[in-house]
Amino acid sequence: MLIWSVVPSETIWQSSDAEQCPQTKVTEVKGVKVLVEPLADGKGRISQVLSTNPADFLRTDLAPGAIVNLV
């Protein structure tokens, strides 16, 4: 496989150890599908918006990095 990228090869081919890669899950928050990294106390950090609606990407409450309740 040949990859032409400006990203350093260490970043592309870094190890996939469970400790290095956060566990994420697909869930629905406020009616929108998102990829969430679970945190303590039933909360989670949004990693990615998976919606196909362009308006969902403009919502600040669903922006990547936002903390949401998973319960």
Short mmCIF file of all heavy atoms in Angstrom, two decimals:
data_model
loop_
_atom_site.label_atom_id
_atom_site.label_comp_id
_atom_site.label_asym_id
_atom_site.label_seq_id
_atom_site.Cartn_x
_atom_site.Cartn_y
_atom_site.Cartn_z
N MET A 1 0.85 -1.17 0.00
CA MET A 1 0.00 0.00 0.00
C MET A 1 0.89 1.23 0.00
O MET A 1 1.91 1.28 0.69
CB MET A 1 -0.89 0.00 1.24
CG MET A 1 -1.74 1.22 1.31
SD MET A 1 -2.73 1.49 2.79
CE MET A 1 -3.16 -0.07 3.39
N LEU A 2 0.50 2.22 -0.76
CA LEU A 2 1.25 3.46 -0.87
C LEU A 2 0.35 4.61 -0.44
O LEU A 2 -0.76 4.75 -0.94
CB LEU A 2 1.70 3.66 -2.31
CG LEU A 2 2.60 4.84 -2.60
CD1 LEU A 2 3.88 4.76 -1.80
CD2 LEU A 2 2.93 4.88 -4.07
N ILE A 3 0.80 5.40 0.52
CA ILE A 3 0.02 6.54 1.00
C ILE A 3 0.85 7.81 0.82
O ILE A 3 1.96 7.91 1.32
CB ILE A 3 -0.34 6.37 2.49
CG1 ILE A 3 -1.25 5.18 2.68
CG2 ILE A 3 -1.00 7.63 3.03
CD1 ILE A 3 -1.66 4.92 4.11
N TRP A 4 0.28 8.75 0.09
CA TRP A 4 0.90 10.06 -0.10
C TRP A 4 0.16 11.03 0.82
O TRP A 4 -1.01 11.29 0.63
CB TRP A 4 0.79 10.51 -1.54
CG TRP A 4 1.61 9.68 -2.47
CD1 TRP A 4 1.20 8.55 -3.13
CD2 TRP A 4 2.97 9.86 -2.80
NE1 TRP A 4 2.21 8.03 -3.87
CE2 TRP A 4 3.32 8.83 -3.69
CE3 TRP A 4 3.94 10.79 -2.46
CZ2 TRP A 4 4.61 8.70 -4.22
CZ3 TRP A 4 5.20 10.65 -3.00
CH2 TRP A 4 5.52 9.63 -3.87
N SER A 5 0.83 11.53 1.84
CA SER A 5 0.18 12.39 2.81
C SER A 5 1.19 13.34 3.44
O SER A 5 2.37 13.02 3.54
CB SER A 5 -0.47 11.52 3.90
OG SER A 5 -1.02 12.32 4.91
N VAL A 6 0.70 14.49 3.90
CA VAL A 6 1.54 15.42 4.64
C VAL A 6 1.61 15.04 6.12
O VAL A 6 2.41 15.57 6.86
CB VAL A 6 1.04 16.87 4.50
CG1 VAL A 6 1.13 17.32 3.06
CG2 VAL A 6 -0.37 17.01 5.03
N VAL A 7 0.76 14.10 6.51
CA VAL A 7 0.75 13.62 7.89
C VAL A 7 1.94 12.69 8.09
O VAL A 7 2.21 11.82 7.25
CB VAL A 7 -0.57 12.86 8.19
CG1 VAL A 7 -0.59 12.32 9.59
CG2 VAL A 7 -1.76 13.77 7.94
N PRO A 8 2.69 12.85 9.20
CA PRO A 8 3.84 11.98 9.44
C PRO A 8 3.43 10.51 9.51
O PRO A 8 2.36 10.16 10.00
CB PRO A 8 4.38 12.44 10.80
CG PRO A 8 3.82 13.80 11.00
CD PRO A 8 2.54 13.85 10.25
N SER A 9 4.29 9.63 9.01
CA SER A 9 3.96 8.21 8.96
C SER A 9 3.75 7.62 10.35
O SER A 9 2.99 6.68 10.52
CB SER A 9 5.05 7.44 8.23
OG SER A 9 6.29 7.59 8.88
N GLU A 10 4.39 8.19 11.39
CA GLU A 10 4.19 7.69 12.76
C GLU A 10 2.74 7.87 13.20
O GLU A 10 2.19 7.06 13.93
CB GLU A 10 5.08 8.42 13.77
CG GLU A 10 6.56 8.36 13.48
CD GLU A 10 7.01 9.46 12.52
OE1 GLU A 10 6.62 10.63 12.69
OE2 GLU A 10 7.74 9.12 11.58
N THR A 11 2.12 8.95 12.76
CA THR A 11 0.74 9.22 13.11
C THR A 11 -0.20 8.25 12.40
O THR A 11 -1.15 7.75 12.99
CB THR A 11 0.36 10.67 12.75
OG1 THR A 11 1.27 11.56 13.40
CG2 THR A 11 -1.06 10.99 13.18
N ILE A 12 0.08 7.98 11.14
CA ILE A 12 -0.78 7.08 10.37
C ILE A 12 -0.66 5.65 10.87
O ILE A 12 -1.66 4.95 11.02
CB ILE A 12 -0.41 7.15 8.87
CG1 ILE A 12 -0.70 8.54 8.33
CG2 ILE A 12 -1.16 6.09 8.08
CD1 ILE A 12 -0.19 8.78 6.93
N TRP A 13 0.53 5.20 11.16
CA TRP A 13 0.76 3.80 11.51
C TRP A 13 0.97 3.58 13.00
O TRP A 13 1.56 2.59 13.39
CB TRP A 13 1.97 3.26 10.74
CG TRP A 13 1.84 3.41 9.28
CD1 TRP A 13 2.56 4.23 8.47
CD2 TRP A 13 0.90 2.75 8.42
NE1 TRP A 13 2.14 4.11 7.17
CE2 TRP A 13 1.13 3.21 7.11
CE3 TRP A 13 -0.10 1.81 8.64
CZ2 TRP A 13 0.39 2.75 6.03
CZ3 TRP A 13 -0.84 1.37 7.56
CH2 TRP A 13 -0.59 1.83 6.27
N GLN A 14 0.47 4.47 13.85
CA GLN A 14 0.69 4.30 15.28
C GLN A 14 -0.02 3.06 15.80
O GLN A 14 -0.96 2.56 15.20
CB GLN A 14 0.25 5.53 16.05
CG GLN A 14 -1.21 5.86 15.95
CD GLN A 14 -1.56 7.09 16.75
OE1 GLN A 14 -1.88 6.95 17.90
NE2 GLN A 14 -1.48 8.25 16.15
N SER A 15 0.43 2.57 16.91
CA SER A 15 -0.09 1.34 17.50
C SER A 15 -1.56 1.47 17.83
O SER A 15 -2.06 2.53 18.15
CB SER A 15 0.70 1.03 18.78
OG SER A 15 0.15 -0.08 19.43
N SER A 16 -2.27 0.36 17.77
CA SER A 16 -3.69 0.36 18.09
C SER A 16 -3.94 -0.30 19.45
O SER A 16 -4.91 -1.03 19.62
CB SER A 16 -4.48 -0.36 17.00
OG SER A 16 -4.06 -1.71 16.92
N ASP A 17 -3.05 -0.08 20.41
CA ASP A 17 -3.25 -0.62 21.76
C ASP A 17 -4.50 -0.05 22.38
O ASP A 17 -4.86 1.09 22.14
CB ASP A 17 -2.06 -0.29 22.66
CG ASP A 17 -0.79 -0.99 22.22
OD1 ASP A 17 -0.88 -2.03 21.54
OD2 ASP A 17 0.29 -0.50 22.57
N ALA A 18 -5.18 -0.84 23.19
CA ALA A 18 -6.42 -0.39 23.82
C ALA A 18 -6.18 0.80 24.73
O ALA A 18 -7.07 1.63 24.90
CB ALA A 18 -7.03 -1.55 24.61
N GLU A 19 -4.98 0.91 25.32
CA GLU A 19 -4.71 2.03 26.22
C GLU A 19 -4.56 3.34 25.44
O GLU A 19 -4.85 4.41 25.95
CB GLU A 19 -3.44 1.76 27.02
CG GLU A 19 -3.59 0.59 27.96
CD GLU A 19 -2.36 -0.32 27.91
OE1 GLU A 19 -1.36 0.07 27.31
OE2 GLU A 19 -2.44 -1.41 28.48
N GLN A 20 -4.07 3.27 24.22
CA GLN A 20 -3.84 4.47 23.44
C GLN A 20 -5.10 4.94 22.72
O GLN A 20 -5.25 6.13 22.47
CB GLN A 20 -2.74 4.23 22.41
CG GLN A 20 -1.38 4.09 23.04
CD GLN A 20 -0.31 3.90 21.98
OE1 GLN A 20 -0.61 3.68 20.82
NE2 GLN A 20 0.94 4.00 22.39
N CYS A 21 -5.97 4.03 22.35
CA CYS A 21 -7.17 4.38 21.59
C CYS A 21 -8.37 4.45 22.54
O CYS A 21 -8.70 3.45 23.18
CB CYS A 21 -7.45 3.35 20.52
SG CYS A 21 -6.17 3.25 19.29
N PRO A 22 -9.01 5.59 22.65
CA PRO A 22 -10.18 5.67 23.52
C PRO A 22 -11.33 4.83 22.96
O PRO A 22 -11.49 4.70 21.75
CB PRO A 22 -10.53 7.16 23.50
CG PRO A 22 -9.92 7.68 22.26
CD PRO A 22 -8.72 6.83 21.97
N GLN A 23 -12.08 4.23 23.85
CA GLN A 23 -13.24 3.45 23.45
C GLN A 23 -14.38 4.40 23.11
O GLN A 23 -14.70 5.27 23.90
CB GLN A 23 -13.65 2.50 24.58
CG GLN A 23 -12.57 1.51 24.94
CD GLN A 23 -12.22 0.59 23.79
OE1 GLN A 23 -13.09 0.16 23.05
NE2 GLN A 23 -10.95 0.29 23.62
N THR A 24 -14.95 4.25 21.96
CA THR A 24 -16.05 5.10 21.55
C THR A 24 -17.25 4.24 21.19
O THR A 24 -17.11 3.05 20.91
CB THR A 24 -15.66 5.97 20.33
OG1 THR A 24 -15.26 5.13 19.27
CG2 THR A 24 -14.56 6.95 20.67
N LYS A 25 -18.42 4.86 21.23
CA LYS A 25 -19.62 4.14 20.83
C LYS A 25 -20.56 5.10 20.12
O LYS A 25 -20.53 6.31 20.35
CB LYS A 25 -20.30 3.49 22.03
CG LYS A 25 -20.84 4.46 23.05
CD LYS A 25 -21.52 3.71 24.17
CE LYS A 25 -22.24 4.66 25.10
NZ LYS A 25 -23.04 3.97 26.07
N VAL A 26 -21.37 4.54 19.25
CA VAL A 26 -22.36 5.33 18.54
C VAL A 26 -23.61 5.41 19.41
O VAL A 26 -24.09 4.39 19.92
CB VAL A 26 -22.71 4.68 17.18
CG1 VAL A 26 -23.82 5.45 16.49
CG2 VAL A 26 -21.48 4.60 16.30
N THR A 27 -24.09 6.62 19.62
CA THR A 27 -25.30 6.81 20.42
C THR A 27 -26.08 7.98 19.84
O THR A 27 -25.59 8.69 18.96
CB THR A 27 -24.94 7.06 21.90
OG1 THR A 27 -26.12 7.06 22.67
CG2 THR A 27 -24.19 8.36 22.08
N GLU A 28 -27.26 8.17 20.35
CA GLU A 28 -28.10 9.26 19.89
C GLU A 28 -28.23 10.28 21.02
O GLU A 28 -28.62 9.94 22.13
CB GLU A 28 -29.47 8.73 19.49
CG GLU A 28 -30.27 9.71 18.67
CD GLU A 28 -31.49 9.06 18.03
OE1 GLU A 28 -31.30 8.10 17.27
OE2 GLU A 28 -32.60 9.53 18.33
N VAL A 29 -27.90 11.52 20.73
CA VAL A 29 -27.98 12.62 21.69
C VAL A 29 -28.90 13.68 21.10
O VAL A 29 -28.63 14.20 20.02
CB VAL A 29 -26.59 13.21 21.99
CG1 VAL A 29 -26.69 14.40 22.91
CG2 VAL A 29 -25.67 12.16 22.57
N LYS A 30 -29.98 13.97 21.80
CA LYS A 30 -30.95 14.98 21.36
C LYS A 30 -31.45 14.70 19.94
O LYS A 30 -31.60 15.61 19.13
CB LYS A 30 -30.36 16.38 21.48
CG LYS A 30 -29.96 16.73 22.89
CD LYS A 30 -29.33 18.09 22.97
CE LYS A 30 -28.85 18.34 24.40
NZ LYS A 30 -28.12 19.57 24.52
N GLY A 31 -31.64 13.42 19.63
CA GLY A 31 -32.17 13.03 18.33
C GLY A 31 -31.16 12.97 17.20
O GLY A 31 -31.53 12.78 16.05
N VAL A 32 -29.86 13.11 17.51
CA VAL A 32 -28.82 13.13 16.49
C VAL A 32 -27.80 12.03 16.81
O VAL A 32 -27.34 11.90 17.93
CB VAL A 32 -28.11 14.50 16.45
CG1 VAL A 32 -27.01 14.51 15.42
CG2 VAL A 32 -29.11 15.60 16.19
N LYS A 33 -27.44 11.22 15.79
CA LYS A 33 -26.44 10.18 15.99
C LYS A 33 -25.05 10.81 16.09
O LYS A 33 -24.66 11.62 15.24
CB LYS A 33 -26.45 9.18 14.84
CG LYS A 33 -27.50 8.14 14.96
CD LYS A 33 -27.25 7.04 13.96
CE LYS A 33 -28.23 5.93 14.23
NZ LYS A 33 -27.98 4.79 13.36
N VAL A 34 -24.32 10.42 17.15
CA VAL A 34 -22.97 10.93 17.37
C VAL A 34 -22.07 9.80 17.85
O VAL A 34 -22.54 8.78 18.34
CB VAL A 34 -22.95 12.08 18.40
CG1 VAL A 34 -23.64 13.31 17.89
CG2 VAL A 34 -23.55 11.65 19.72
N LEU A 35 -20.77 9.99 17.70
CA LEU A 35 -19.77 9.08 18.23
C LEU A 35 -19.29 9.68 19.54
O LEU A 35 -18.83 10.83 19.57
CB LEU A 35 -18.62 8.94 17.23
CG LEU A 35 -17.60 7.86 17.48
CD1 LEU A 35 -18.26 6.48 17.38
CD2 LEU A 35 -16.49 7.95 16.47
N VAL A 36 -19.40 8.92 20.64
CA VAL A 36 -19.13 9.45 21.97
C VAL A 36 -18.08 8.61 22.68
O VAL A 36 -18.09 7.38 22.60
CB VAL A 36 -20.43 9.46 22.81
CG1 VAL A 36 -20.16 9.90 24.23
CG2 VAL A 36 -21.47 10.36 22.19
N GLU A 37 -17.17 9.29 23.37
CA GLU A 37 -16.19 8.64 24.24
C GLU A 37 -16.74 8.69 25.66
O GLU A 37 -16.86 9.78 26.24
CB GLU A 37 -14.86 9.39 24.16
CG GLU A 37 -13.79 8.85 25.06
CD GLU A 37 -12.56 9.73 25.04
OE1 GLU A 37 -12.39 10.55 24.12
OE2 GLU A 37 -11.76 9.59 25.98
N PRO A 38 -17.12 7.54 26.23
CA PRO A 38 -17.70 7.54 27.58
C PRO A 38 -16.72 8.07 28.64
O PRO A 38 -15.53 7.78 28.59
CB PRO A 38 -18.03 6.08 27.84
CG PRO A 38 -18.06 5.44 26.50
CD PRO A 38 -17.09 6.21 25.66
N LEU A 39 -17.26 8.85 29.57
CA LEU A 39 -16.50 9.36 30.71
C LEU A 39 -17.15 8.83 31.98
O LEU A 39 -18.09 8.04 31.93
CB LEU A 39 -16.51 10.89 30.70
CG LEU A 39 -15.94 11.57 29.46
CD1 LEU A 39 -16.17 13.07 29.53
CD2 LEU A 39 -14.47 11.27 29.30
N ALA A 40 -16.68 9.27 33.11
CA ALA A 40 -17.25 8.85 34.39
C ALA A 40 -18.60 9.53 34.64
O ALA A 40 -18.94 10.53 34.00
CB ALA A 40 -16.28 9.20 35.52
N ASP A 41 -19.37 8.98 35.56
CA ASP A 41 -20.64 9.56 36.02
C ASP A 41 -21.70 9.66 34.94
O ASP A 41 -22.50 10.60 34.92
CB ASP A 41 -20.42 10.95 36.65
CG ASP A 41 -19.47 10.91 37.84
OD1 ASP A 41 -19.47 9.88 38.55
OD2 ASP A 41 -18.77 11.90 38.06
N GLY A 42 -21.72 8.72 33.98
CA GLY A 42 -22.77 8.71 32.97
C GLY A 42 -22.68 9.84 31.96
O GLY A 42 -23.66 10.18 31.31
N LYS A 43 -21.51 10.41 31.81
CA LYS A 43 -21.32 11.48 30.84
C LYS A 43 -20.42 10.97 29.71
O LYS A 43 -19.80 9.93 29.81
CB LYS A 43 -20.69 12.70 31.50
CG LYS A 43 -21.58 13.33 32.55
CD LYS A 43 -21.02 14.64 33.00
CE LYS A 43 -21.84 15.24 34.10
NZ LYS A 43 -23.03 15.90 33.65
N GLY A 44 -20.38 11.72 28.61
CA GLY A 44 -19.54 11.35 27.49
C GLY A 44 -19.09 12.58 26.73
O GLY A 44 -19.72 13.63 26.78
N ARG A 45 -17.98 12.44 26.01
CA ARG A 45 -17.44 13.53 25.20
C ARG A 45 -17.69 13.19 23.74
O ARG A 45 -17.31 12.13 23.26
CB ARG A 45 -15.94 13.67 25.44
CG ARG A 45 -15.30 14.77 24.60
CD ARG A 45 -13.81 14.93 24.85
NE ARG A 45 -13.60 15.35 26.23
CZ ARG A 45 -12.90 14.64 27.13
NH1 ARG A 45 -12.38 13.48 26.80
NH2 ARG A 45 -12.75 15.09 28.35
N ILE A 46 -18.32 14.11 23.03
CA ILE A 46 -18.63 13.89 21.62
C ILE A 46 -17.33 13.92 20.81
O ILE A 46 -16.55 14.86 20.92
CB ILE A 46 -19.62 14.94 21.09
CG1 ILE A 46 -20.96 14.78 21.80
CG2 ILE A 46 -19.79 14.82 19.58
CD1 ILE A 46 -22.02 15.78 21.40
N SER A 47 -17.12 12.87 20.01
CA SER A 47 -15.95 12.80 19.14
C SER A 47 -16.28 13.20 17.72
O SER A 47 -15.47 13.82 17.03
CB SER A 47 -15.39 11.37 19.11
OG SER A 47 -15.00 10.96 20.39
N GLN A 48 -17.49 12.83 17.26
CA GLN A 48 -17.85 13.09 15.87
C GLN A 48 -19.37 13.08 15.73
O GLN A 48 -20.05 12.28 16.34
CB GLN A 48 -17.25 11.99 15.00
CG GLN A 48 -17.49 12.14 13.53
CD GLN A 48 -16.82 11.02 12.73
OE1 GLN A 48 -16.22 10.11 13.29
NE2 GLN A 48 -16.94 11.09 11.44
N VAL A 49 -19.88 13.97 14.90
CA VAL A 49 -21.31 13.99 14.57
C VAL A 49 -21.49 13.09 13.35
O VAL A 49 -20.80 13.24 12.35
CB VAL A 49 -21.79 15.43 14.26
CG1 VAL A 49 -23.25 15.43 13.86
CG2 VAL A 49 -21.57 16.33 15.46
N LEU A 50 -22.43 12.12 13.44
CA LEU A 50 -22.63 11.17 12.37
C LEU A 50 -23.90 11.45 11.57
O LEU A 50 -24.29 10.65 10.73
CB LEU A 50 -22.72 9.75 12.95
CG LEU A 50 -21.48 9.28 13.72
CD1 LEU A 50 -21.73 7.92 14.33
CD2 LEU A 50 -20.28 9.25 12.82
N SER A 51 -24.52 12.56 11.80
CA SER A 51 -25.76 12.92 11.13
C SER A 51 -25.51 13.25 9.66
O SER A 51 -24.42 13.63 9.27
CB SER A 51 -26.38 14.13 11.84
OG SER A 51 -27.48 14.60 11.13
N THR A 52 -26.56 13.12 8.87
CA THR A 52 -26.48 13.53 7.47
C THR A 52 -27.12 14.90 7.25
O THR A 52 -27.11 15.42 6.14
CB THR A 52 -27.18 12.51 6.56
OG1 THR A 52 -28.53 12.37 6.99
CG2 THR A 52 -26.48 11.16 6.62
N ASN A 53 -27.67 15.48 8.31
CA ASN A 53 -28.30 16.79 8.24
C ASN A 53 -27.24 17.88 8.46
O ASN A 53 -26.64 17.95 9.53
CB ASN A 53 -29.40 16.90 9.29
CG ASN A 53 -30.14 18.21 9.22
OD1 ASN A 53 -29.81 19.09 8.45
ND2 ASN A 53 -31.16 18.33 10.04
N PRO A 54 -26.99 18.73 7.48
CA PRO A 54 -25.97 19.77 7.64
C PRO A 54 -26.22 20.71 8.81
O PRO A 54 -25.28 21.22 9.41
CB PRO A 54 -26.02 20.54 6.32
CG PRO A 54 -26.66 19.62 5.35
CD PRO A 54 -27.59 18.76 6.14
N ALA A 55 -27.47 20.93 9.18
CA ALA A 55 -27.79 21.83 10.30
C ALA A 55 -27.27 21.28 11.62
O ALA A 55 -26.95 22.05 12.53
CB ALA A 55 -29.29 22.06 10.37
N ASP A 56 -27.16 19.95 11.75
CA ASP A 56 -26.67 19.35 13.00
C ASP A 56 -25.20 19.69 13.26
O ASP A 56 -24.76 19.73 14.40
CB ASP A 56 -26.86 17.84 12.98
CG ASP A 56 -28.33 17.45 13.04
OD1 ASP A 56 -29.14 18.25 13.55
OD2 ASP A 56 -28.67 16.35 12.56
N PHE A 57 -24.45 19.94 12.21
CA PHE A 57 -23.03 20.27 12.37
C PHE A 57 -22.83 21.70 12.87
O PHE A 57 -21.76 22.05 13.34
CB PHE A 57 -22.28 20.07 11.04
CG PHE A 57 -22.15 18.63 10.66
CD1 PHE A 57 -23.13 18.01 9.92
CD2 PHE A 57 -21.06 17.89 11.08
CE1 PHE A 57 -23.02 16.67 9.57
CE2 PHE A 57 -20.95 16.55 10.75
CZ PHE A 57 -21.93 15.94 9.99
N LEU A 58 -23.86 22.53 12.78
CA LEU A 58 -23.78 23.91 13.25
C LEU A 58 -24.23 24.06 14.69
O LEU A 58 -24.09 25.14 15.27
CB LEU A 58 -24.62 24.81 12.34
CG LEU A 58 -24.18 24.87 10.88
CD1 LEU A 58 -25.16 25.70 10.07
CD2 LEU A 58 -22.77 25.43 10.77
N ARG A 59 -24.78 23.01 15.27
CA ARG A 59 -25.25 23.07 16.67
C ARG A 59 -24.06 23.03 17.62
O ARG A 59 -23.27 22.09 17.62
CB ARG A 59 -26.19 21.90 16.95
CG ARG A 59 -27.48 21.98 16.17
CD ARG A 59 -28.37 20.82 16.39
NE ARG A 59 -28.67 20.62 17.82
CZ ARG A 59 -29.48 19.67 18.25
NH1 ARG A 59 -30.07 18.85 17.41
NH2 ARG A 59 -29.70 19.54 19.54
N THR A 60 -23.94 24.06 18.45
CA THR A 60 -22.81 24.13 19.39
C THR A 60 -22.94 23.11 20.52
O THR A 60 -21.93 22.70 21.07
CB THR A 60 -22.69 25.54 19.99
OG1 THR A 60 -23.92 25.90 20.61
CG2 THR A 60 -22.36 26.56 18.91
N ASP A 61 -24.17 22.69 20.83
CA ASP A 61 -24.34 21.70 21.89
C ASP A 61 -23.92 20.30 21.45
O ASP A 61 -23.75 19.40 22.28
CB ASP A 61 -25.78 21.68 22.40
CG ASP A 61 -26.79 21.39 21.30
OD1 ASP A 61 -26.49 21.64 20.13
OD2 ASP A 61 -27.89 20.92 21.64
N LEU A 62 -23.70 20.08 20.15
CA LEU A 62 -23.26 18.79 19.62
C LEU A 62 -21.87 18.86 19.00
O LEU A 62 -21.45 17.94 18.30
CB LEU A 62 -24.26 18.29 18.57
CG LEU A 62 -25.67 18.01 19.06
CD1 LEU A 62 -26.55 17.60 17.90
CD2 LEU A 62 -25.68 16.95 20.13
N ALA A 63 -21.15 19.93 19.25
CA ALA A 63 -19.81 20.09 18.68
C ALA A 63 -18.85 19.07 19.29
O ALA A 63 -18.99 18.70 20.45
CB ALA A 63 -19.30 21.50 18.95
N PRO A 64 -17.87 18.57 18.51
CA PRO A 64 -16.88 17.67 19.07
C PRO A 64 -16.19 18.30 20.27
O PRO A 64 -15.81 19.46 20.26
CB PRO A 64 -15.91 17.47 17.92
CG PRO A 64 -16.76 17.66 16.70
CD PRO A 64 -17.71 18.75 17.07
N GLY A 65 -16.08 17.51 21.33
CA GLY A 65 -15.49 17.98 22.58
C GLY A 65 -16.54 18.35 23.61
O GLY A 65 -16.22 18.49 24.79
N ALA A 66 -17.79 18.50 23.19
CA ALA A 66 -18.86 18.84 24.13
C ALA A 66 -19.14 17.65 25.04
O ALA A 66 -19.12 16.50 24.62
CB ALA A 66 -20.13 19.25 23.38
N ILE A 67 -19.41 17.94 26.30
CA ILE A 67 -19.75 16.90 27.28
C ILE A 67 -21.27 16.78 27.33
O ILE A 67 -21.98 17.78 27.49
CB ILE A 67 -19.19 17.26 28.68
CG1 ILE A 67 -17.68 17.53 28.60
CG2 ILE A 67 -19.50 16.16 29.67
CD1 ILE A 67 -16.84 16.35 28.20
N VAL A 68 -21.77 15.54 27.20
CA VAL A 68 -23.21 15.29 27.21
C VAL A 68 -23.53 14.17 28.21
O VAL A 68 -22.66 13.39 28.58
CB VAL A 68 -23.72 14.88 25.80
CG1 VAL A 68 -23.57 16.04 24.84
CG2 VAL A 68 -22.99 13.66 25.29
N ASN A 69 -24.78 14.12 28.63
CA ASN A 69 -25.26 13.06 29.50
C ASN A 69 -25.62 11.84 28.66
O ASN A 69 -26.31 11.98 27.66
CB ASN A 69 -26.47 13.50 30.31
CG ASN A 69 -26.12 14.51 31.36
OD1 ASN A 69 -25.05 14.45 31.95
ND2 ASN A 69 -27.01 15.46 31.60
N LEU A 70 -25.18 10.67 29.07
CA LEU A 70 -25.49 9.45 28.34
C LEU A 70 -26.61 8.67 28.98
O LEU A 70 -27.10 7.70 28.41
CB LEU A 70 -24.25 8.54 28.26
CG LEU A 70 -23.07 9.12 27.49
CD1 LEU A 70 -21.88 8.17 27.55
CD2 LEU A 70 -23.45 9.41 26.07
N VAL A 71 -27.05 9.09 30.13
CA VAL A 71 -28.12 8.37 30.85
C VAL A 71 -29.47 8.87 30.44
O VAL A 71 -29.71 9.96 30.12
CB VAL A 71 -27.94 8.54 32.36
CG1 VAL A 71 -29.02 7.80 33.10
CG2 VAL A 71 -26.58 8.03 32.77
#
